[in-house]
Amino acid sequence: MPLNIHGSPLSPFTRKVTIAALEMELDFESHDLNPYTSAEKLAVLNPLKRIPVIEHDDYTLADSSAICGYFQARFPSSPSLLPDKPEDLGKALWIEEYADTALFDVISEGVFRPIFVYPLLGKAQDLDTVRDTVVNKLPEPLAYLNAQLYGNTWFAGDHMSIADIAVYAQLVNLEHAQQLPKPEDHPALMAHYRHMQSSPFEANLLKSEQAYLEQALKQLDP
């Protein structure tokens, strides 16, 4: 069985795994699996009912960090997303964790769900929550990540790592929501974001997500 990635294109964790597979030049197939509309199918793959999930030969694995770790061990000849230097490796894994938890919590609950998920669930958009999040809650994690770059191109080491992918994967949902911060507010972080998008992998993936989102929003119109 080829490598199959199951998840929603708009999930930052599916995006993280997809970008990792692209940057590692892996041969894979993507399968749309919406956790809100395919809960029973998802439960068969992951008892936590969360995405993404991969299937590779007879092996099934959930959780984006676990999946990316599997990629590194399973495909050692592919470009590595983990720095060699212990200090850089530690920082890369820490930034990945920070993005997956602190940054995700703020963006998902305060921006993405109120704008995009609520309508899918038959609820009105909550723009008051979005405004409060952007003004009062989002600046802190963005400022922290901006400082962690220390004027460098990458978060850890001298090439793209899982840290860069994890942060970028979360920030893309701000772009979809038209809530990206101004470059002057977090210059290092926004320069890093645009640098990530200079990769043809990320640029093409963003275009496909925008098309997917546009189609999904059309289906919500009465």
Side-chain angles (χ1 to χ4, degrees):
M1 178 187 296
L3 174 60
N4 293 288
I5 300 175
H6 301 273
S8 170
L10 301 181
S11 158
F13 300 109
T14 302
R15 183 182 300 122
K16 172 183 161 187
V17 167
T18 301
I19 293 175
L22 289 169
E23 291 291 345
M24 293 181 69
E25 302 174 0
L26 305 184
D27 185 16
F28 69 95
E29 296 178 3
S30 294
H31 303 272
D32 192 358
L33 183 60
N34 189 319
Y36 297 102
T37 60
S38 305
E40 291 185 7
K41 180 179 179 180
L42 180 57
V44 174
L45 297 171
N46 178 7
L48 295 179
K49 300 180 182 179
R50 297 174 184 171
I51 53 175
V53 180
I54 64 163
E55 291 181 297
H56 189 211
D57 297 329
D58 59 350
Y59 184 65
T60 301
L61 184 65
D63 184 80
S64 64
S65 296
I67 291 169
C68 290
Y70 169 75
F71 286 170
Q72 290 292 153
R74 181 65 178 80
F75 305 102
S77 61
S78 297
S80 177
L81 297 177
L82 297 179
D84 293 328
K85 187 177 178 181
E87 291 81 1
D88 291 337
L89 175 60
K91 184 176 181 182
L93 296 177
W94 159 241
I95 295 296
E96 177 191 15
E97 173 63 17
Y98 187 85
D100 287 356
T101 53
L103 191 58
F104 168 74
D105 287 346
V106 174
I107 294 175
S108 176
E109 294 301 319
V111 179
F112 195 78
R113 285 179 59 85
I115 291 179
F116 297 116
V117 178
Y118 285 8
L120 292 175
L121 300 177
K123 300 168 60 176
Q125 290 182 329
D126 184 357
L127 299 183
D128 288 338
T129 292
V130 174
R131 282 189 287 268
D132 177 65
T133 298
V134 170
V135 173
N136 298 313
K137 299 177 182 178
L138 192 56
E140 181 177 347
L142 295 183
Y144 176 76
L145 291 169
N146 186 76
Q148 291 302 303
L149 282 165
Y150 294 116
N152 295 323
T153 302
W154 308 110
F155 277 104
D158 57 3
H159 61 84
M160 185 190 298
S161 74
I162 193 62
D164 306 290
I165 294 173
V167 171
Y168 173 79
Q170 299 294 335
L171 294 181
V172 169
N173 277 0
L174 287 181
E175 179 163 356
H176 287 322
Q178 299 182 9
Q179 298 296 332
L180 275 176
K182 296 177 181 179
E184 57 267 29
D185 291 337
H186 306 284
L189 183 60
M190 287 299 96
H192 176 273
Y193 182 78
R194 295 306 178 192
H195 184 62
M196 288 289 292
Q197 285 189 336
S198 68
S199 164
F201 294 133
E202 278 75 279
N204 291 333
L205 186 62
L206 179 62
K207 290 179 182 177
S208 69
E209 287 183 23
Q210 289 169 335
Y212 179 93
L213 182 58
E214 181 179 355
Q215 185 62 33
L217 293 176
K218 283 182 179 178
Q219 295 177 1
L220 293 176
D221 290 338

XYZ file of all heavy atoms in Angstrom, residues 16-93:
606
model
N 0.702 20.284 8.258
C 2.059 20.033 8.772
C 2.618 18.723 8.222
O 3.757 18.675 7.722
C 2.015 20.004 10.292
C 3.290 19.573 11.004
C 2.996 19.535 12.510
C 3.985 18.705 13.261
N 3.621 18.537 14.686
N 1.814 17.653 8.295
C 2.256 16.351 7.806
C 2.441 16.374 6.293
O 3.405 15.811 5.757
C 1.246 15.263 8.221
C 1.495 13.965 7.469
C 1.325 15.029 9.723
N 1.536 17.037 5.596
C 1.630 17.115 4.133
C 2.883 17.861 3.702
O 3.599 17.421 2.785
C 0.380 17.799 3.561
O -0.784 17.054 3.937
C 0.449 17.883 2.047
N 3.168 18.985 4.346
C 4.376 19.745 4.007
C 5.621 18.932 4.320
O 6.585 18.927 3.535
C 4.397 21.097 4.744
C 3.285 22.002 4.222
C 5.758 21.783 4.568
C 3.147 23.311 4.983
N 5.627 18.241 5.449
C 6.771 17.394 5.785
C 6.994 16.343 4.702
O 8.130 16.119 4.263
C 6.554 16.727 7.140
N 5.922 15.711 4.257
C 6.043 14.699 3.201
C 6.543 15.312 1.900
O 7.373 14.715 1.196
C 4.699 14.012 2.981
N 6.066 16.507 1.582
C 6.516 17.187 0.361
C 7.991 17.553 0.447
O 8.754 17.322 -0.502
C 5.673 18.443 0.129
C 4.225 18.226 -0.304
C 3.443 19.549 -0.218
C 4.163 17.675 -1.727
N 8.386 18.152 1.567
C 9.776 18.582 1.717
C 10.730 17.386 1.771
O 11.891 17.499 1.369
C 9.929 19.439 2.970
C 9.245 20.802 2.895
C 9.911 21.755 1.899
O 11.053 21.477 1.486
O 9.277 22.764 1.540
N 10.237 16.252 2.254
C 11.064 15.044 2.290
C 10.997 14.263 0.974
O 11.616 13.217 0.839
C 10.631 14.154 3.455
C 10.908 14.755 4.824
S 10.408 13.651 6.191
C 11.638 12.336 6.016
N 10.201 14.814 0.030
C 10.085 14.238 -1.309
C 9.548 12.806 -1.266
O 10.004 11.920 -1.991
C 11.436 14.297 -2.031
C 11.980 15.712 -2.156
C 13.383 15.772 -2.751
O 13.942 14.697 -3.069
O 13.908 16.888 -2.889
N 8.540 12.596 -0.414
C 7.924 11.282 -0.283
C 6.813 11.124 -1.321
O 6.168 12.090 -1.726
C 7.346 11.100 1.120
C 8.296 11.325 2.293
C 7.588 11.018 3.612
C 9.559 10.479 2.157
N 6.585 9.900 -1.724
C 5.500 9.566 -2.635
C 4.271 9.236 -1.791
O 4.278 8.260 -1.035
C 5.898 8.373 -3.513
C 4.852 8.048 -4.564
O 3.976 8.908 -4.814
O 4.897 6.937 -5.125
N 3.222 10.044 -1.897
C 2.053 9.834 -1.049
C 0.784 10.279 -1.764
O 0.822 10.980 -2.780
C 2.201 10.603 0.269
C 2.136 12.108 0.121
C 0.943 12.798 0.302
C 3.287 12.832 -0.192
C 0.888 14.174 0.171
C 3.234 14.214 -0.330
C 2.032 14.883 -0.147
N -0.335 9.857 -1.193
C -1.647 10.274 -1.673
C -2.410 10.909 -0.521
O -2.343 10.424 0.615
C -2.440 9.080 -2.218
C -1.808 8.427 -3.437
C -2.595 7.220 -3.916
O -3.667 6.928 -3.314
O -2.148 6.566 -4.882
N -3.129 12.001 -0.814
C -3.928 12.687 0.195
C -5.389 12.309 0.053
O -5.905 12.187 -1.064
C -3.783 14.204 0.055
O -2.464 14.616 0.343
N -6.063 12.132 1.196
C -7.471 11.769 1.208
C -8.209 12.683 2.171
O -7.849 12.777 3.349
C -7.645 10.311 1.639
C -6.895 9.339 0.777
N -7.434 8.801 -0.371
C -5.637 8.835 0.890
C -6.549 7.983 -0.927
N -5.449 7.996 -0.178
N -9.233 13.357 1.665
C -10.001 14.292 2.473
C -10.809 13.531 3.515
O -11.612 12.653 3.180
C -10.930 15.108 1.568
C -11.555 16.297 2.286
O -11.295 16.462 3.494
O -12.290 17.056 1.638
N -10.601 13.867 4.770
C -11.328 13.226 5.867
C -11.713 14.312 6.860
O -10.875 14.797 7.622
C -10.474 12.157 6.542
C -11.125 11.359 7.669
C -12.361 10.619 7.162
C -10.134 10.378 8.282
N -12.971 14.721 6.831
C -13.464 15.794 7.687
C -13.910 15.214 9.028
O -14.816 14.375 9.063
C -14.638 16.504 7.004
C -15.064 17.764 7.728
O -15.122 17.802 8.954
N -15.367 18.802 6.971
N -13.307 15.631 10.129
C -13.668 15.052 11.432
C -15.089 15.372 11.867
O -15.649 14.687 12.723
C -12.648 15.660 12.391
C -12.214 16.921 11.727
C -12.245 16.635 10.261
N -15.689 16.418 11.280
C -17.049 16.793 11.657
C -18.103 15.975 10.917
O -19.209 15.789 11.423
C -17.275 18.285 11.380
C -16.380 19.172 12.208
C -15.249 19.760 11.650
C -16.658 19.419 13.547
C -14.422 20.568 12.407
C -15.838 20.231 14.319
C -14.719 20.803 13.742
O -13.894 21.596 14.487
N -17.779 15.512 9.724
C -18.768 14.792 8.917
C -18.431 13.318 8.726
O -19.244 12.578 8.185
C -18.905 15.451 7.535
O -17.629 15.427 6.869
C -19.371 16.897 7.665
N -17.239 12.904 9.141
C -16.819 11.511 8.950
C -16.315 10.901 10.252
O -15.299 10.206 10.272
C -15.725 11.430 7.872
O -16.145 12.030 6.666
N -17.018 11.168 11.337
C -16.552 10.738 12.660
C -16.450 9.220 12.765
O -15.493 8.694 13.358
C -17.481 11.274 13.742
N -17.406 8.505 12.196
C -17.373 7.047 12.305
C -16.191 6.465 11.544
O -15.495 5.565 12.048
C -18.689 6.455 11.777
C -19.894 6.757 12.657
C -21.139 6.064 12.167
O -21.035 5.251 11.217
O -22.229 6.325 12.722
N -15.963 6.963 10.345
C -14.824 6.494 9.560
C -13.516 6.831 10.258
O -12.584 6.016 10.298
C -14.849 7.112 8.162
C -13.704 6.673 7.268
C -13.809 7.302 5.889
C -12.643 6.874 5.006
N -12.729 7.496 3.649
N -13.443 8.035 10.826
C -12.226 8.460 11.508
C -11.960 7.608 12.742
O -10.806 7.278 13.047
C -12.330 9.936 11.893
C -11.140 10.555 12.617
C -9.865 10.392 11.798
C -11.407 12.028 12.899
N -13.020 7.226 13.455
C -12.856 6.430 14.666
C -12.215 5.083 14.389
O -11.516 4.524 15.239
C -14.208 6.228 15.347
N -12.437 4.560 13.181
C -11.814 3.291 12.798
C -10.300 3.455 12.682
O -9.529 2.545 13.018
C -12.404 2.782 11.468
C -11.668 1.539 10.985
C -13.886 2.487 11.626
N -9.866 4.630 12.233
C -8.442 4.896 12.048
C -7.771 5.405 13.315
O -6.599 5.125 13.556
C -8.248 5.926 10.923
C -8.710 5.502 9.527
C -8.653 6.693 8.573
C -7.841 4.365 9.000
N -8.516 6.163 14.120
C -7.935 6.787 15.315
C -8.999 6.861 16.402
O -9.999 7.570 16.252
C -7.418 8.188 14.976
C -6.850 8.910 16.194
O -6.715 8.332 17.270
N -6.508 10.166 16.014
N -8.822 6.170 17.514
C -9.837 6.183 18.573
C -10.062 7.565 19.172
O -11.108 7.814 19.771
C -9.285 5.201 19.611
C -7.818 5.141 19.342
C -7.680 5.308 17.859
N -9.106 8.474 19.000
C -9.284 9.842 19.482
C -10.119 10.687 18.520
O -10.473 11.818 18.846
C -7.923 10.515 19.703
C -7.048 9.917 20.810
C -5.724 10.665 20.892
C -7.761 9.951 22.152
N -10.375 10.146 17.324
C -11.182 10.822 16.294
C -10.568 12.165 15.901
O -11.273 13.168 15.736
C -12.620 11.008 16.773
C -13.339 9.714 17.098
C -14.763 9.964 17.575
C -15.451 8.655 17.955
N -16.834 8.873 18.444
N -9.260 12.161 15.746
C -8.540 13.370 15.336
C -7.726 13.093 14.074
O -7.319 11.964 13.824
C -7.614 13.852 16.459
C -8.344 14.253 17.731
C -7.363 14.581 18.842
N -8.052 14.878 20.103
C -7.439 15.025 21.264
N -6.114 14.896 21.338
N -8.134 15.282 22.356
N -7.506 14.144 13.338
C -6.699 14.055 12.132
C -5.397 14.810 12.344
O -5.321 15.683 13.228
C -7.461 14.637 10.917
C -7.961 16.067 11.223
C -8.576 13.725 10.495
C -8.611 16.762 10.059
N -4.367 14.418 11.553
C -4.345 13.455 10.451
C -4.066 12.035 10.935
O -3.673 11.803 12.071
C -3.188 13.963 9.605
C -2.218 14.493 10.621
C -3.098 15.143 11.668
N -4.261 11.106 9.997
C -3.907 9.706 10.179
C -3.227 9.252 8.905
O -3.623 9.664 7.811
C -5.146 8.824 10.443
C -4.738 7.376 10.627
C -5.927 9.324 11.646
N -2.203 8.425 9.032
C -1.574 7.858 7.840
C -1.768 6.346 7.819
O -1.894 5.705 8.860
C -0.065 8.179 7.741
C 0.718 7.535 8.896
C 0.171 9.678 7.656
C 2.215 7.452 8.647
N -1.802 5.814 6.623
C -1.742 4.378 6.397
C -0.578 4.115 5.454
O -0.477 4.755 4.400
C -3.035 3.861 5.784
C -4.232 3.900 6.716
C -5.480 3.350 6.072
O -5.918 3.952 5.068
O -5.997 2.324 6.536
N 0.302 3.214 5.840
C 1.468 2.893 5.027
C 1.698 1.391 5.105
O 2.026 0.871 6.172
C 2.696 3.655 5.514
C 3.867 3.543 4.592
N 5.172 3.576 5.040
C 3.941 3.394 3.246
C 5.990 3.456 4.013
N 5.268 3.340 2.918
N 1.517 0.719 3.979
C 1.523 -0.749 3.969
C 0.445 -1.215 4.958
O -0.709 -0.837 4.820
C 2.912 -1.284 4.303
C 3.943 -0.862 3.244
O 3.554 -0.715 2.066
O 5.107 -0.655 3.597
N 0.800 -1.984 5.955
C -0.193 -2.439 6.928
C -0.092 -1.666 8.234
O -0.566 -2.114 9.288
C -0.038 -3.934 7.192
C 1.350 -4.292 7.735
O 2.234 -3.406 7.730
O 1.548 -5.453 8.146
N 0.511 -0.484 8.185
C 0.778 0.312 9.387
C -0.118 1.552 9.393
O -0.198 2.275 8.395
C 2.243 0.728 9.392
C 2.707 1.471 10.622
C 2.738 0.861 11.863
C 3.147 2.793 10.530
C 3.189 1.531 12.988
C 3.606 3.476 11.645
C 3.623 2.835 12.873
O 4.069 3.498 13.991
N -0.777 1.792 10.518
C -1.621 2.975 10.686
C -1.115 3.782 11.869
O -0.768 3.215 12.914
C -3.090 2.571 10.936
O -3.564 1.789 9.837
C -3.978 3.799 11.085
N -1.056 5.107 11.703
C -0.519 5.957 12.764
C -1.236 7.294 12.768
O -1.502 7.883 11.719
C 0.984 6.177 12.558
C 1.717 6.980 13.639
C 1.709 6.230 14.965
C 3.154 7.273 13.196
N -1.553 7.785 13.967
C -2.182 9.089 14.150
C -1.220 10.032 14.867
O -0.161 9.617 15.342
C -3.479 8.943 14.942
N -1.612 11.318 14.920
C -0.878 12.410 15.576
C 0.231 12.921 14.670
O 1.120 12.173 14.240
C -0.286 12.004 16.920
C 0.387 13.177 17.613
O -0.328 13.978 18.223
O 1.618 13.298 17.509
N 0.181 14.222 14.387
C 1.108 14.813 13.424
C 2.572 14.677 13.844
O 3.438 14.405 13.010
C 0.767 16.286 13.188
O 0.945 17.058 14.370
N 2.872 14.853 15.121
C 4.258 14.742 15.571
C 4.761 13.309 15.470
O 5.899 13.063 15.049
C 4.397 15.247 17.006
O 4.107 16.627 17.095
N 3.908 12.357 15.856
C 4.280 10.949 15.729
C 4.503 10.581 14.267
O 5.456 9.863 13.923
C 3.198 10.069 16.349
N 3.640 11.091 13.399
C 3.759 10.793 11.970
C 5.057 11.349 11.405
O 5.777 10.668 10.667
C 2.546 11.349 11.212
C 1.283 10.560 11.585
C 2.773 11.292 9.706
C -0.008 11.193 11.101
N 5.380 12.586 11.746
C 6.616 13.187 11.230
C 7.838 12.450 11.763
O 8.833 12.290 11.054
C 6.671 14.667 11.598
S 5.466 15.687 10.706
N 7.775 11.995 13.018
C 8.865 11.182 13.552
C 8.996 9.872 12.810
O 10.114 9.399 12.542
N 7.881 9.276 12.456
C 7.898 8.038 11.667
C 8.525 8.285 10.306
O 9.341 7.476 9.836
C 6.464 7.523 11.508
C 6.318 6.406 10.504
C 6.737 5.108 10.800
C 5.760 6.644 9.252
C 6.604 4.079 9.883
C 5.616 5.623 8.321
C 6.046 4.345 8.635
O 5.918 3.334 7.706
N 8.170 9.395 9.674
C 8.760 9.715 8.373
C 10.291 9.741 8.457
O 10.985 9.214 7.588
C 8.264 11.074 7.884
C 6.843 11.104 7.392
C 6.216 12.322 7.119
C 6.127 9.940 7.192
C 4.914 12.364 6.657
C 4.808 9.974 6.734
C 4.203 11.194 6.466
N 10.798 10.384 9.504
C 12.249 10.523 9.639
C 12.930 9.160 9.771
O 13.992 8.924 9.197
C 12.577 11.386 10.861
C 12.212 12.849 10.722
C 13.073 13.574 9.694
O 12.643 14.554 9.102
N 14.283 13.106 9.480
N 12.323 8.272 10.551
C 12.927 6.957 10.765
C 12.701 6.021 9.588
O 13.578 5.224 9.243
C 12.352 6.337 12.046
N 11.544 6.131 8.971
C 11.190 5.210 7.879
C 11.883 5.568 6.583
O 12.177 4.703 5.752
C 9.662 5.230 7.683
C 9.144 4.296 6.592
C 9.400 2.844 6.947
N 8.873 1.944 5.925
C 9.463 1.665 4.775
N 10.629 2.239 4.490
N 8.920 0.838 3.911
N 12.176 6.842 6.365
C 12.782 7.298 5.111
C 14.073 8.063 5.405
O 14.167 9.272 5.176
C 11.804 8.188 4.345
C 10.459 7.545 4.094
C 9.357 7.879 4.867
C 10.310 6.597 3.090
C 8.115 7.290 4.643
C 9.073 6.000 2.851
C 7.977 6.339 3.635
N 15.093 7.389 5.926
C 16.320 8.073 6.353
C 17.106 8.708 5.212
O 17.925 9.601 5.457
C 17.126 6.954 7.024
C 16.612 5.691 6.402
C 15.154 5.932 6.164
N 16.877 8.265 3.980
C 17.607 8.848 2.849
C 16.955 10.124 2.335
O 17.531 10.822 1.483
C 17.704 7.832 1.705
O 16.416 7.465 1.229
N 15.763 10.455 2.823
C 15.088 11.683 2.407
C 15.682 12.881 3.141
O 16.317 12.726 4.189
C 13.595 11.594 2.707
O 12.987 10.549 1.976
N 15.485 14.096 2.605
C 15.961 15.285 3.328
C 15.423 15.321 4.748
O 14.225 15.118 4.968
C 15.406 16.433 2.479
C 15.277 15.866 1.107
C 14.882 14.436 1.305
N 16.294 15.560 5.703
C 15.905 15.506 7.110
C 15.261 16.809 7.564
O 15.686 17.901 7.165
C 17.124 15.212 7.984
O 16.757 15.232 9.353
N 14.270 16.700 8.418
C 13.625 17.862 9.010
C 14.011 18.029 10.468
O 13.440 18.865 11.178
C 12.103 17.733 8.885
C 11.555 17.690 7.459
C 10.039 17.492 7.482
C 11.912 18.947 6.685
N 14.980 17.240 10.919
C 15.462 17.338 12.296
C 16.937 17.749 12.285
O 17.760 17.089 11.640
C 15.299 16.004 13.017
C 13.869 15.496 13.192
C 13.874 14.151 13.903
C 13.025 16.497 13.969
N 17.298 18.824 12.977
C 18.694 19.265 13.014
C 19.599 18.217 13.655
O 19.173 17.422 14.493
C 18.645 20.534 13.867
C 17.219 20.979 13.830
C 16.408 19.729 13.724
N 20.870 18.233 13.275
C 21.839 17.282 13.833
C 22.340 17.705 15.214
O 22.520 16.870 16.099
C 23.030 17.137 12.882
C 22.641 16.478 11.568
O 21.732 15.619 11.583
O 23.224 16.825 10.528
N 22.579 18.991 15.404
C 23.118 19.484 16.664
C 22.085 19.310 17.775
O 20.920 19.687 17.605
C 23.494 20.957 16.519
C 24.220 21.538 17.715
C 24.608 22.993 17.438
C 25.290 23.614 18.656
N 25.638 25.034 18.398
N 22.470 18.734 18.914
C 21.497 18.474 19.983
C 20.722 19.713 20.418
O 19.506 19.643 20.636
C 22.358 17.925 21.120
C 23.528 17.296 20.436
C 23.803 18.167 19.251
N 21.418 20.854 20.553
C 20.735 22.073 20.979
C 19.699 22.518 19.950
O 18.600 22.980 20.304
C 21.750 23.189 21.226
C 22.647 22.971 22.432
C 23.822 22.034 22.145
O 23.956 21.568 20.984
O 24.606 21.781 23.080
N 20.054 22.393 18.676
C 19.112 22.766 17.615
C 17.947 21.790 17.552
O 16.795 22.193 17.320
C 19.826 22.813 16.259
C 20.816 23.961 16.154
O 20.651 24.952 16.893
O 21.745 23.864 15.328
N 18.231 20.520 17.751
C 17.164 19.522 17.754
C 16.181 19.798 18.889
O 14.957 19.763 18.694
C 17.746 18.114 17.904
C 16.724 16.978 18.053
C 15.801 16.904 16.848
C 17.439 15.645 18.280
N 16.721 20.079 20.068
C 15.858 20.382 21.203
C 14.980 21.590 20.935
O 13.777 21.579 21.230
N 15.567 22.624 20.362
C 14.780 23.822 20.084
C 13.733 23.550 19.017
O 12.593 24.030 19.119
C 15.678 24.973 19.636
C 14.888 26.271 19.439
C 15.767 27.450 19.079
C 14.911 28.711 18.933
N 15.710 29.886 18.533
N 14.092 22.789 17.994
C 13.133 22.475 16.932
C 11.918 21.750 17.491
O 10.772 22.071 17.153
C 13.800 21.632 15.839
N 12.157 20.782 18.370
C 11.051 20.024 18.945
C 10.220 20.882 19.892
O 8.994 20.709 19.983
C 11.590 18.787 19.668
C 12.284 17.751 18.766
C 12.837 16.611 19.608
C 11.334 17.227 17.686
